[in-house]
Amino acid sequence: MADDLIKPHELIANIQPRPPQTGWMDTPVEIRKGMYCYAANPKSLETLGFPFAREWNPLDEDWKLPPNWKEILFEGMRERLERFRTFKIFMDICVRCGACADKCHFFIGSGDPKNMPVLRAELLRSVYRRDFTTAGKLFGRLAGGREMTAEVLKEWWYYYFQCTECRRCSVFCPYGIDTAEITIMARELINLLGLNIDWIATPVSNCYRTGNHLGIQPHAYKDMIDFFVDDIEEITGVRVEPNLNKKGADILFITPSGDVFADPGTYTAMGYLMLFHFLKEKYGLDVTWSTYASEGGNFGFFTSHETMKRLNAKMYAEARRLGVKWILGGECGHMWRVIQQYMDTMNGPPDFLEEPVSPITGTKFENAKSTKMVHITEFTADLIHHGKLDLDPRRNDDLVVTYHDSCNPSRGMGLLDEPRYVIKNVCNHFYEMPPNTIREQTFCCGSGAGLNAGENMELRMIGGFPRANAVKYVHEKHGVNMLACICAIDRAALPPLMDYWVPGVDVTGVHELVANALNLPGQNERSTNLRGEEISGMEAEDE
């Protein structure tokens, strides 16, 4: 948590709509500390072959733009309007009804009118009108058009990096406009001028070089898996034996690198290892991890379609190299939106893989018929439904759990019931947050789409305020003390959000809860959970 972040009661006092004294086109942008991420490291941009890599500072007057920057933006927009039919439609059909206005967590948390999805989109749409519509060319501002200037560019940069592309606004749009896609296009255009942020560019560069966002080399990845194996043995008395880079395994498992290297995701990774060990011992299922495709997340999604495609390809290249039947994916957010919505036209179809069928239950995973990639909560829910796991939910009795629908798996792929089914079978105490804050209407963590940095903590806290407020409700009403989710960014972003707004609520992945409840063959009398915490009623006897 940033040391200079004001106290919650002070921040909440600022959460109120602040209509500007001037029209939105005449209100200058104010780039403020705590509300933006640092500029991209030039070395990261150079690694990726991105244009105009340079040192620059968002607070400086001069952003060191190329001399022909307006021409670059014009051509970039023209190309995308021709290439992406939805982009052209979304530029034309908005009637500015305002149905989306109060649905964005950043507008709710900031009160800044330019964070209303309709107005954030208008920042780009106004330039489109002036340069690409007849009315705009003839009547300019009277037709809602405005000239592209350096001030407008800075406004784009500031506000399009105050959008997590969560798509909550699109749920309420009567015309079905996906404002997140407008953000994606705006970021692509901004990126043509070398104006990316470091919290996106460097993870993308790392993933391109080493296979994961953190830049971890294969030996370090293996070392972390070995540490988990030791911890699991200490807790359960069972030494699991995971496969790494095994050719001919049944399934390739891919999860975000955050699960392997950052708490509390590490406990989720331990949960995967325990589940796979159980399935191997009981049913002979052979699952392999990869030190090459060591990242399920895809920050290319926040950069450009081409970068997203490039990073997504490694998972399927590794599946081909190892000769597996199909791919099982871990608890990640944007990995699953990329797979569900873009895979077939980007890197697919992966016809060299089999249509996923559970070798244990015989269930055919119809949702993965095309992509050949199954979400682990769907996989585990199927196992539980068929009685294939030995579970003791009492090991989670110290936890009163609620569930955060991570934006991309929920709105992006419709994964709503499976995680809840799993949680309810491994926990005895579960409560939902209010209906208008979950499922398709879920609020974002406030740090997605590459905004999970340290320097923009005020932005993150106001963006995550609506989610935190819903958690606070069930915390006070039902005693909820654990927030479960199925996204690595959530597992990184939600702990500081809870510490700030709802102290006393911790964060977990679903498969940490599964592992706590799972009885491994040959285990000892387990008295602690995966975090080494004593379980009430199961404390070890004093020797």
Side-chain angles (χ1 to χ4, degrees):
M1 190 68 67
D3 294 334
D4 57 351
L5 184 63
I6 62 176
K7 301 299 182 183
H9 69 276
E10 297 173 315
L11 188 57
I12 203 169
N14 295 329
I15 298 178
Q16 53 184 325
R18 296 186 297 278
Q21 300 302 308
T22 56
W24 72 267
M25 287 191 188
D26 300 316
T27 304
V29 63
E30 178 191 355
I31 298 177
R32 187 163 58 83
K33 184 180 179 182
M35 296 289 287
Y36 71 91
C37 297
Y38 295 147
N41 186 326
K43 291 184 179 179
S44 298
L45 298 183
E46 290 170 356
T47 298
L48 295 164
F50 289 173
F52 306 114
R54 65 192 184 282
E55 296 282 353
W56 66 281
N57 189 325
L59 296 179
D60 290 344
E61 182 68 24
D62 181 8
W63 281 16
K64 303 177 182 177
L65 299 172
N68 61 333
W69 67 270
K70 290 185 182 182
E71 296 175 26
I72 294 171
L73 286 185
F74 181 90
E75 287 302 314
M77 188 179 293
R78 181 190 58 76
E79 177 189 344
R80 284 156 181 80
L81 288 167
E82 293 175 355
R83 180 180 174 192
F84 299 104
R85 183 173 58 181
T86 53
F87 183 36
K88 179 69 167 63
I89 292 173
F90 294 159
M91 287 292 98
D92 287 331
I93 67 173
C94 177
V95 297
R96 297 182 291 286
C97 67
C100 64
D102 61 346
K103 308 306 187 295
C104 176
H105 45 284
F106 284 116
F107 174 64
I108 295 172
S110 69
D112 186 339
K114 291 181 182 178
N115 269 325
M116 294 188 295
V118 60
L119 186 44
R120 189 189 293 116
E122 201 70 14
L123 304 180
L124 178 61
R125 192 178 283 119
S126 58
V127 174
Y128 159 78
R129 284 200 196 95
R130 184 185 185 276
D131 291 338
F132 294 92
T133 69
T134 302
K137 290 176 181 178
L138 291 175
F139 301 108
R141 192 162 177 144
L142 289 175
R146 62 173 178 165
E147 181 183 359
M148 188 70 208
T149 65
E151 188 71 13
V152 170
L153 178 63
K154 292 180 180 182
E155 190 178 53
W156 280 15
W157 183 87
Y158 191 54
Y159 287 103
Y160 285 115
F161 285 107
Q162 289 186 35
C163 170
T164 49
E165 303 175 14
C166 80
R167 303 171 75 235
R168 188 172 195 265
C169 53
S170 67
V171 173
F172 299 91
C173 177
Y175 290 89
I177 295 173
D178 186 352
T179 309
E181 185 164 331
I182 297 174
T183 294
I184 292 169
M185 294 300 175
R187 288 190 181 186
E188 284 202 17
L189 295 172
I190 292 168
N191 196 55
L192 295 176
L193 303 178
L195 298 178
N196 212 317
I197 63 173
D198 197 51
W199 202 252
I200 293 176
T202 293
V204 171
S205 174
N206 288 339
C207 200
Y208 183 59
R209 290 185 301 106
T210 68
N212 59 73
H213 292 154
L214 301 175
I216 303 300
Q217 299 293 335
H219 65 277
Y221 194 91
K222 179 182 182 301
D223 287 344
M224 283 304 301
I225 298 295
D226 289 342
F227 290 146
F228 296 152
V229 169
D230 292 340
D231 288 345
I232 291 169
E233 184 175 21
E234 184 176 344
I235 293 167
T236 68
V238 175
R239 187 145 188 102
V240 303
E241 298 179 353
N243 296 319
L244 285 170
N245 305 322
K246 181 179 179 180
K247 290 189 174 182
D250 297 317
I251 295 169
L252 169 62
F253 177 68
I254 300 175
T255 197
S257 58
D259 283 353
V260 181
F261 291 96
D263 293 343
T266 51
Y267 306 114
T268 302
M270 291 168 65
Y272 302 146
L273 290 167
M274 291 172 63
L275 175 65
F276 298 154
H277 178 81
F278 178 92
L279 297 178
K280 185 174 184 180
E281 291 293 304
K282 294 283 288 187
Y283 307 108
L285 184 67
D286 205 10
V287 178
T288 187
W289 301 54
S290 169
T291 58
Y292 166 68
S294 53
E295 180 64 68
N298 191 333
F299 271 38
F301 181 43
F302 313 138
T303 306
S304 71
H305 287 79
E306 287 71 23
T307 311
M308 172 171 49
K309 176 179 179 179
R310 193 191 313 183
L311 298 187
N312 189 69
K314 70 180 182 300
M315 299 191 296
Y316 289 89
E318 184 69 338
R320 184 189 293 273
R321 185 183 76 88
L322 295 178
V324 298
K325 296 176 181 177
W326 47 274
I327 305 173
L328 183 65
E331 297 182 16
C332 184
H334 49 284
M335 169 175 80
W336 284 103
R337 186 172 171 199
V338 171
I339 291 296
Q340 191 77 6
Q341 297 188 334
Y342 296 95
M343 167 59 196
D344 274 352
T345 53
M346 282 196 317
N347 305 110
D351 294 336
F352 60 92
L353 294 173
E354 297 179 8
E355 183 177 340
V357 176
S358 172
I360 298 170
T361 67
T363 296
K364 183 179 291 187
F365 296 104
E366 295 291 343
N367 293 334
K369 182 176 182 179
S370 178
T371 64
K372 311 299 191 292
M373 192 164 176
V374 176
H375 194 288
I376 193 164
T377 58
E378 187 179 13
F379 179 72
T380 302
D382 176 65
L383 293 170
I384 294 173
H385 179 70
H386 286 89
K388 299 300 183 180
L389 299 183
D390 183 4
L391 300 170
D392 185 352
R394 294 177 302 164
R395 292 203 196 92
N396 286 314
D397 274 355
D398 288 342
L399 307 180
V400 183
V401 182
T402 192
Y403 177 66
H404 164 67
D405 289 276
S406 303
C407 299
N408 287 306
S410 60
R411 279 189 288 266
M413 66 180 295
L415 192 71
L416 302 170
D417 296 318
E418 292 86 348
R420 288 175 167 82
Y421 181 81
V422 173
I423 293 171
K424 290 176 182 179
N425 277 276
V426 299
C427 297
N428 290 319
H429 311 295
F430 176 78
Y431 296 94
E432 291 278 18
M433 287 179 275
N436 63 331
T437 71
I438 60 173
R439 300 179 74 88
E440 292 92 341
Q441 296 186 40
T442 185
F443 276 113
C444 180
C445 67
S447 300
L451 302 186
N452 188 25
E455 64 270 16
N456 65 330
M457 195 59 76
E458 182 178 343
L459 175 67
R460 291 173 55 189
M461 293 303 105
I462 63 173
F465 172 71
R467 168 46 73 223
N469 198 40
V471 176
K472 185 176 181 180
Y473 174 81
V474 290
H475 174 61
E476 294 178 347
K477 184 174 182 179
H478 301 295
V480 163
N481 59 15
M482 185 62 79
L483 177 59
C485 60
I486 54 169
C487 172
I489 286 181
D490 285 335
R491 284 191 286 278
L494 290 172
L497 188 73
M498 294 299 103
D499 289 344
Y500 187 77
W501 290 116
V502 201
V505 176
D506 213 335
V507 178
T508 181
V510 168
H511 277 78
E512 178 184 348
L513 302 176
V514 172
N516 283 339
L518 187 63
N519 290 318
L520 293 179
Q523 71 179 18
N524 58 22
E525 292 294 326
R526 291 165 58 183
S527 60
T528 66
N529 59 24
L530 289 192
R531 304 188 184 197
E533 301 164 341
E534 292 284 346
I535 303 169
S536 298
M538 296 185 177
E539 296 89 346
E541 296 183 2
D542 294 332
E543 295 183 0

